[in-house]
Amino acid sequence: MVTRTDIADSLEGAFGSGPLTRRQIISAADLRGASGELLAALGRLPEGTYSHLRDLWKHLGDVPRSV
C-alpha cells in the first residue's frame, strides 16, 4: 500500500526548483527509487503542472495519509 507519506518522501526536494509536470514528478520519484506501486499511483495524476506537493492530494484522494 502506498501512502501520502511515501509519496512525500519520494518527492522530497523535487519542487525546490519550481513547478513540475506530471512526467517530471514521476521521473523524480523514479530517480529516488520509488516502488512500482508508488509510480503507478503518480501515473494516475492528470496531465498538468503542479506547483507544490499538496497540489497532488486533490487528485490522489484515495491514497491514505499513513498506514
Side-chain angles (χ1 to χ4, degrees):
M1 174 194 307
V2 173
T3 66
R4 290 183 183 197
T5 301
D6 298 329
I7 292 172
D9 289 346
S10 73
L11 294 174
E12 184 175 346
F15 291 93
S17 298
L20 299 173
T21 65
R22 175 182 168 263
R23 185 176 306 177
Q24 290 170 318
I25 290 168
I26 293 168
S27 179
D30 190 34
L31 288 172
R32 289 171 175 81
S35 69
E37 185 180 10
L38 190 144
L39 296 174
L42 293 176
R44 297 193 326 253
L45 291 168
E47 291 293 334
T49 303
Y50 300 86
S51 297
H52 303 281
L53 178 66
R54 67 181 174 266
D55 295 337
L56 307 182
W57 305 144
K58 65 183 171 186
H59 303 289
L60 299 172
D62 62 326
V63 176
R65 292 182 191 263
S66 61
V67 179

